[in-house]
């Protein structure tokens, strides 16, 4: 790997097979997968790799519910299953520790109707998840403090597919993997501000221009305005940022506890006794990086939900803006009308669970592979159609 400062110029150097804008979890996975496939890769990041929306510590890897199965749910399911092997490969290659563990998940049941719905899903999970993972309904949790038995008057769902990972650990492993690859170039302190698909050249914020075979836009919330410019849409038409806040507690909790999720509140036991709690979903906000009373409310609910953390001190707070595309699903694949330009954006809350498989899709498209296939609802064209419809209705 080579690393260039923002004052460097690539004039006279061979254009990379793949230029990637953004070094969050999506851009890093894409760089790793592309470099493994033998492509020359240049990754451009204006801040710190693994920052922005990827810089948190929740690390929840949870599936969609198993009923009404479709290609989107199947894509995520396969990604969650495969991630365990992907992380083992990264750890073996780099010696890093990602703190991945398949711990399952508990969902408290508050109503009789919710219990009946959960019971109906047992057969759906057996059909769609196969025999390896379970989706079960129990009268009480195994522990009275995880979650509070009083918060689950109709019992609980316990499923064994969900997992958790340390976001900092995974990002460090991805960066280490790239550092070992001679066909990878990292450019920090600059960003892609303009893309010319016809000349296959990108302009960077430091004034440099760089050619490319393909360019992938994986720059989080900023990706939406770049894709909008390339497709002639209003800048705010195809996606927006949703602020999230989370906290990390020193709870002396066992690391094998299942995730607990209830009505937007996540409680996730990590290594070293730490427990992550989150998260808010704020469509409007003044300061994208500030934590406030909204996080305090989440913490209050989490402490009631899981008495194990009732007195645990907060050791870190975090806030960041996560990208959500107009069609709600991630945005992945070729950008219509812009030859050689690819999108990998809008993962919102599920990026850490599916980014590796999204990267496989893009690399297969570049190299001529035929697997895996992305859901139609992930395509840029699908999101553009949603945006156009919204513009018509306004």
């Amino acid at each position: 790997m080579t690393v260039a400062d923002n004052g460097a110029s690539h004039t006279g150097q061979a254009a990379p097979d793949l230029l990637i804008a953004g070094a969050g979890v999506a851009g890093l996975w894409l760089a790793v997968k592309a470099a493994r496939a033998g492509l020359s890769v240049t990754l451009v990041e204006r801040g710190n790799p693994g920052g922005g929306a990827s810089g948190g510590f929740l690390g929840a890897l949870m599936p969609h519910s198993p009923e009404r199965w479709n290609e989107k749910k199947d894509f995520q399911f396969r990604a969650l299953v495969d991630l365990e092997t992907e992380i083992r490969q990264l750890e073996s290659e780099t010696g890093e520790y990602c703190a991945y563990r398949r711990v399952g998940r508990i969902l408290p049941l508050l109503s009789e109707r919710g219990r009946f719905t959960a019971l109906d899903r047992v057969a759906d999970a057996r059909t769609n998840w196969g025999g390896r993972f379970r989706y079960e309904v129990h009268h009480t949790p195994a522990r009275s403090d995880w979650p509070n038995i009083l918060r689950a008057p109709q019992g609980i769902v316990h499923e064994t597919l969900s997992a958790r990972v340390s976001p900092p650990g995974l990002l460090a492993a991805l960066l280490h993997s790239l550092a070992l690859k001679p066909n990878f170039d990292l450019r920090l302190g600059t960003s892609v501000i303009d893309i010319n698909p016809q000349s296959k050249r990108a302009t960077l914020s430091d004034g440099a221009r760089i050619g490319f075979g393909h360019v992938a836009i994986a720059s989080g919330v900023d990706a939406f305005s770049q894709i909008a410019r390339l497709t002639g849409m209003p800048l705010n038409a195809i996606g927006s940022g949703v602020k999230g806040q989370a906290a990390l507690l020193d709870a002396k909790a066992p690391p094998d506890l299942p995730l607990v999720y209830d009505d937007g509140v996540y409680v996730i036991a990590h290594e070293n006794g730490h427990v992550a709690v989150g998260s808010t979903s704020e469509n409007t906000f003044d300061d994208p990086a500030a934590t406030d009373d909204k996080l305090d409310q989440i913490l209050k609910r989490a402490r009631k939900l899981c008495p194990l953390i009732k007195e645990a001190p907060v050791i870190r707070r975090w806030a960041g803006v996560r990208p959500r595309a107009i069609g709600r699903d991630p945005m992945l694949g070729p950008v219509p009308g812009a030859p050689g330009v690819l999108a990998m954006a809008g993962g919102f809350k599920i990026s850490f669970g599916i980014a590796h498989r999204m990267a496989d899709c893009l690399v297969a498209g570049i190299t001529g592979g035929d697997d895996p296939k992305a859901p139609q609802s992930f395509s840029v064209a699908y999101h553009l159609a949603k945006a156009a419809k919204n513009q018509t209705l306004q």
Side-chain angles (χ1 to χ4, degrees), residues 72-111:
K72 176 180 72 174
K73 292 186 175 185
D74 188 70
F75 184 93
Q76 189 210 31
F77 170 75
R78 293 176 186 276
L80 291 174
V81 172
D82 293 345
L83 184 57
E84 185 172 3
T85 301
E86 295 278 2
I87 287 178
R88 284 177 182 166
Q89 181 179 350
L90 271 178
E91 291 178 333
S92 176
E93 178 184 351
T94 66
E96 301 283 353
Y97 179 51
C98 300
Y100 173 92
R101 192 186 291 240
R102 195 179 296 281
V103 292
R105 174 179 52 160
I106 290 175
L107 300 97
L109 297 172
L110 303 179
S111 67

Side-chain angles (χ1 to χ4, degrees), residues 7 26 59 68 89 95 151 176 180 204 233 237 250 253 296 317 354 375-376:
R68 296 192 296 275
Q89 181 179 350
R151 306 293 295 178
H176 192 159
L180 301 174
L204 307 186
M233 297 293 292
D250 186 5
D296 294 334
R317 293 170 178 254
I354 67 170
Q376 179 60 31

